[in-house]
């Protein structure tokens, strides 16, 4: 009788431990993430582009505020960019840095997020010049993310990154003029 009671107690204890652990196992992929501005001084004060929305899995996030996201959060990270220049834009690009991936010498891994009216990318459809006050959604390409994950695994032993910093950008206008080092921070 004593053995039976001990066996039942052990089974009950195992069931309780498993029951309490299951919620943590299912949330194991959800971690705190952050998208913020890189602390650099822009090379130009010109108001040309602005980030009007950033989404992860279709939900808006706020720069500088942590949010919860799954391991695939970078696959669904999207930037809504508005042309506030008053001119037509043919090409623009801005960067994102990944401060967790130290490349040495105080440098982080970085990727570019481009919009090019003259060179449509795979699966993005026909791109047109970006008119004044128009908006476009941009994401990191799967090719870029694959390369980033390889570098991340090699440098820090994991592909599960938690931070992205937005860098300044550059723009080429339809009239042939160009600007570099512009901030996309909303005024």
């Amino acid at each position: 009788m004593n053995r039976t009671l001990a066996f039942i107690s052990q089974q009950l204890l195992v069931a309780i431990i498993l029951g309490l652990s299951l919620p943590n196992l299912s949330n194991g992929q959800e971690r705190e993430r952050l998208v913020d501005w890189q602390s650099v001084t822009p090379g130009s004060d010109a108001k040309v582009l602005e980030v009007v929305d950033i989404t992860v899995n279709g939900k808006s996030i706020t720069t500088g505020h942590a949010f919860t996201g799954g391991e695939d959060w970078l696959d669904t990270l999207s930037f809504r960019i508005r042309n506030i220049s008053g001119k037509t834009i043919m090409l623009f690009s801005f960067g994102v840095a990944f401060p967790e991936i130290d490349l040495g010498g105080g440098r982080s891994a970085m990727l570019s997020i481009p919009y090019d009216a003259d060179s449509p990318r795979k699966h993005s459809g026909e791109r047109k010049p970006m008119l004044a006050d128009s908006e476009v959604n941009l994401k990191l390409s799967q090719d870029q993310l694959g390369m980033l994950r390889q570098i991340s695994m090699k440098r820090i032993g994991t592909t599960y990154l938690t931070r992205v910093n937005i860098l300044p950008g550059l723009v080429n206008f339809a009239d042939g003029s160009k600007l570099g080092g512009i901030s996309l921070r909303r005024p």
Side-chain angles (χ1 to χ4, degrees):
M1 183 77 150
N2 218 3
R3 262 188 171 169
T4 304
L5 189 56
F7 178 75
I8 291 172
S9 296
Q10 286 176 344
Q11 294 300 317
L12 185 58
L13 184 60
V14 167
I16 290 171
I17 290 171
L18 283 175
L20 293 174
S21 298
L22 283 177
N24 291 332
L25 289 175
S26 66
N27 290 334
Q29 296 178 352
E30 296 286 316
R31 294 180 67 190
E32 199 168 87
R33 316 290 180 179
L34 182 70
V35 175
D36 207 353
W37 299 99
Q38 181 81 11
S39 58
V40 295
T41 304
S44 171
D45 291 331
K47 302 298 181 214
V48 178
L49 298 167
E50 71 178 1
V51 175
V52 294
D53 193 22
I54 303 170
T55 60
V56 173
N57 269 340
K59 296 179 184 175
S60 290
I61 62 162
T62 304
T63 54
H65 296 304
F67 62 94
T68 303
E71 293 172 359
D72 66 343
W73 76 287
L74 291 173
D75 295 301
T76 65
L77 176 65
S78 178
F79 297 89
R80 184 142 189 91
I81 308 295
R82 178 181 295 143
N83 176 356
I84 59 170
S85 71
K87 296 165 79 172
T88 299
I89 294 174
M90 296 303 291
L91 174 138
F92 73 84
S93 178
F94 65 97
V96 287
F98 302 88
E100 294 161 301
I101 305 174
D102 181 12
L103 298 177
R107 297 176 303 129
S108 299
M110 293 182 272
L111 295 174
S112 178
I113 302 178
Y115 180 90
D116 187 349
D118 292 329
S119 172
R121 290 188 167 268
K122 282 195 301 192
H123 311 297
S124 66
E126 191 74 26
R127 288 201 172 164
K128 299 174 183 162
M130 189 174 183
L131 303 175
D133 297 319
S134 64
E135 297 180 359
V136 64
N137 284 317
L138 298 173
K139 319 170 45 159
L140 291 165
S141 73
Q142 289 303 309
D143 292 342
Q144 286 178 313
L145 287 171
M147 186 174 53
L148 177 71
R149 287 182 173 115
Q150 288 177 358
I151 293 167
S152 179
M153 184 57 84
K154 187 175 183 179
R155 287 293 197 170
I156 62 174
T158 184
T159 61
Y160 304 120
L161 302 174
T162 62
R163 287 190 60 138
V164 170
N165 290 341
I166 305 167
L167 300 166
L170 59 88
V171 64
N172 292 356
F173 296 101
D175 65 8
S177 61
K178 301 175 183 184
L179 278 174
I182 58 167
S183 174
L184 280 74
R185 196 172 214 164
R186 196 172 202 170

